[in-house]
Amino acid sequence: MTVWPVLIVGAGKIGRTIAALLAATGDYRVTIADRDAAALAAARRPDIAVAQVDVADEEALVAALAGQRAVLSAAPFFLTQTIARAAKRAGAHYLDLTEDVASTKAVKALAEGAQTAFAPQCGLAPGFVSIAAHDLAGRFDALENLTLRVGALPRYPTNALKYNLTWSTDGLINEYCNPCEAVLDGERALLQPLEGYETFSLDGIDYEAFNTSGGLGSLAETLEGRVRNLRYLTVRYPGHRDIMRLLLTDLGLKDRRDLMRDVLETAVPITRQDVVLVFITASGRRGDQREQMSAVYRVTAQDVAGETWSAIQITTASGICATLDMLRDGTLPARGFVTQEAIPLHAFLANRFGRAYGQDSGALGAMPAEARRSAA
C-alpha cells in the first residue's frame, strides 16, 4: 500500500500522540494543523510536519486538506461540524474522538451520500468500549443487561477529589452535565448525569461509578430492540461524585461552565501517572441458562521513545489510529457512516495500534484482557 498523507487537527496532548504513533510506522505522512504557534512548535518533529491554520475557518481547512487522504480531529467538540464539513468538501476520510452527542448526529448526516468514510467517536469512550461491549453482547442469545464502565484515573490520588486532569476539561464537564443516553426496559431513554450510583471492587481497590454523557456513542441505537437495559458509567475513586455534584448542582456551576473549567484547571493538577480501566458486564440467556459475563481491560502510562505517554493518551490515540489503519487496509468500508461497534473486537486487538489494549507486555504497557463467566 502507498503512504497515506493525513492531517491531524489539534496540536494538544492527544493530537501529538496520534501523530507520533502514525509517523513511527512509515506508512503515513503526517501533518498537524493548529492555529496556536506555540503548540505547533512543541509538536514539530523530523517526521511530522506542522501547518498554522485557523481550524475554526472551514475554507482554510478545505485548503489545508488538499491532497490529504484523511483528517483526524483531535480538536474540541465545538469544532466537529466545521472539520467534518471541510473533510466532505475536500473528499477526505473523516475520523474524530468526540463524545458530544449532537456533534455526532451532525457527522452522521454529513456521511449520507459521501464518497469517503465518516468515523466519529474513535477514542476510548466512545470508541473501544463500544467495540468490546458489542462483542460481549454478541455472545448472548437473549441480552438483558449491558453496563459499560470506564475510568481514566490517577494511580496515586492525593486530593479530596481523588482525581487529576488527564484530558479535555471541556469534555469532562460535558460528561458531568449533559443528559445520558441509555436503554431502560427496552426503550431509549435519557438519564440524569451523576445519578445511577454504584460501587464495586476489582483486585482489592474500591471504585464508584455513575451516569455520564456521551460514552455509549451509537451503541444505544445499534442495540435498540436487542437489549433490555443498557447504561454507560464513569469510574472514579469513592467520594469524587459527591464533590462534583456539590460544585455542579448545589453551587450551580453546571450553568457556568467557563467558571467550572477555570476552577478545575487552576486547582486540579494534571498527571501522566494514570491508569485507564474498562469494566463491562453483560447478562442474559445463553442456550437454556441465564449467565453473566464480564470483561476487564487496564492500560497504564508508559515511556515510549523517550517520552512519557499517559494511559489516556495511549488508549485514545490507539483507538483512532487503529480505525484509520483498518480504513487503509480495507477492513472497514471506505464510504458512508462507520460506527465503532461495526469493528470486530478480534480485528481491533490484532491491529498494530489496537494491541495496546490487549498485549501482556511491551512498549505500550497494556495488561491482558480478562474475561470472566459466572452463573447469574
Side-chain angles (χ1 to χ4, degrees), residues 165 261-269:
L165 295 176
R261 182 181 65 241
D262 290 343
V263 168
L264 289 174
E265 293 183 346
T266 300
V268 181

Side-chain angles (χ1 to χ4, degrees), residues 22 207 266:
L22 291 177
Y207 301 96
T266 300

Side-chain angles (χ1 to χ4, degrees), residues 11-241:
K13 295 187 290 292
I14 300 300
R16 294 198 301 270
T17 309
I18 295 167
L21 292 179
L22 291 177
T25 67
D27 293 328
Y28 297 94
R29 188 166 68 250
V30 179
T31 302
I32 300 180
D34 203 303
R35 61 184 175 188
D36 187 327
L40 289 173
R44 187 189 298 272
R45 292 174 22 164
D47 54 352
I48 297 172
V50 299
Q52 189 166 8
V53 178
D54 182 356
V55 295
D57 183 337
E58 185 176 326
E59 297 300 327
L61 275 176
V62 172
L65 281 168
Q68 302 288 342
R69 294 294 299 270
V71 56
L72 288 72
S73 175
F77 73 92
F78 52 79
L79 293 172
T80 295
Q81 295 184 50
T82 299
I83 300 167
R85 286 196 301 267
K88 187 170 185 177
R89 290 175 58 189
H93 296 301
Y94 172 84
L95 301 88
D96 72 33
L97 302 166
T98 188
E99 76 288 340
D100 185 68
V101 175
S103 298
T104 300
K105 290 179 179 177
V107 171
K108 184 176 183 179
L110 285 168
E112 294 182 8
Q115 299 303 302
T116 54
F118 282 72
Q121 304 181 321
C122 297
L124 168 62
F128 171 75
V129 70
S130 302
I131 299 170
H134 191 259
D135 178 81
L136 198 59
R139 304 182 191 189
F140 288 83
D141 299 309
L143 183 63
E144 295 176 7
N145 302 299
L146 182 62
T147 304
L148 290 59
R149 307 171 187 86
V150 178
L153 303 164
R155 295 183 68 186
Y156 312 110
T158 57
N159 55 30
L161 273 176
K162 300 178 184 176
Y163 187 73
N164 293 101
L165 295 176
T166 58
W167 65 296
S168 164
T169 309
D170 286 320
L172 178 71
I173 294 170
N174 269 358
E175 281 194 352
Y176 286 175
C177 294
N178 292 348
C180 311
E181 290 191 324
V183 177
L184 292 181
D185 295 326
E187 301 291 334
R188 296 274 294 276
L190 290 177
L191 306 180
Q192 288 299 306
L194 305 181
E195 300 299 329
Y197 185 84
E198 66 175 42
T199 60
F200 64 93
S201 296
L202 285 174
D203 299 325
I205 300 175
D206 294 332
Y207 301 96
E208 65 181 19
F210 47 87
N211 298 339
T212 52
S213 176
L216 279 186
S218 54
L219 200 59
E221 181 179 355
T222 299
L223 293 180
E224 187 175 13
R226 295 169 52 196
V227 62
R228 184 167 180 80
N229 296 296
L230 169 66
R231 290 196 303 148
Y232 173 86
L233 310 176
T234 282
V235 177
R236 297 287 183 254
Y237 297 117
H240 177 92
R241 192 283 302 257

Side-chain angles (χ1 to χ4, degrees), residues 260-347:
M260 184 65 188
R261 182 181 65 241
D262 290 343
V263 168
L264 289 174
E265 293 183 346
T266 300
V268 181
I270 66 169
T271 186
R272 295 183 183 180
Q273 296 175 304
D274 63 339
V275 56
V276 164
L277 172 66
V278 177
F279 176 36
I280 307 167
T281 56
S283 63
R285 291 206 167 272
R286 303 183 74 213
D288 59 357
Q289 287 188 323
R290 189 165 182 263
E291 291 192 21
Q292 175 176 305
M293 299 181 69
S294 300
V296 179
Y297 302 82
R298 291 184 184 88
V299 182
T300 57
Q302 290 289 314
D303 290 334
V304 181
E307 185 173 352
T308 299
W309 303 88
S310 69
I312 192 65
Q313 284 177 289
I314 291 168
T315 51
T316 304
S318 294
I320 197 169
C321 290
T323 304
L324 178 66
D325 236 15
M326 287 184 277
L327 278 173
R328 181 172 176 266
D329 67 18
T331 300
L332 297 179
R335 64 179 62 188
F337 189 69
V338 178
T339 64
Q340 288 298 291
E341 55 269 22
I343 300 173
L345 178 63
H346 67 85

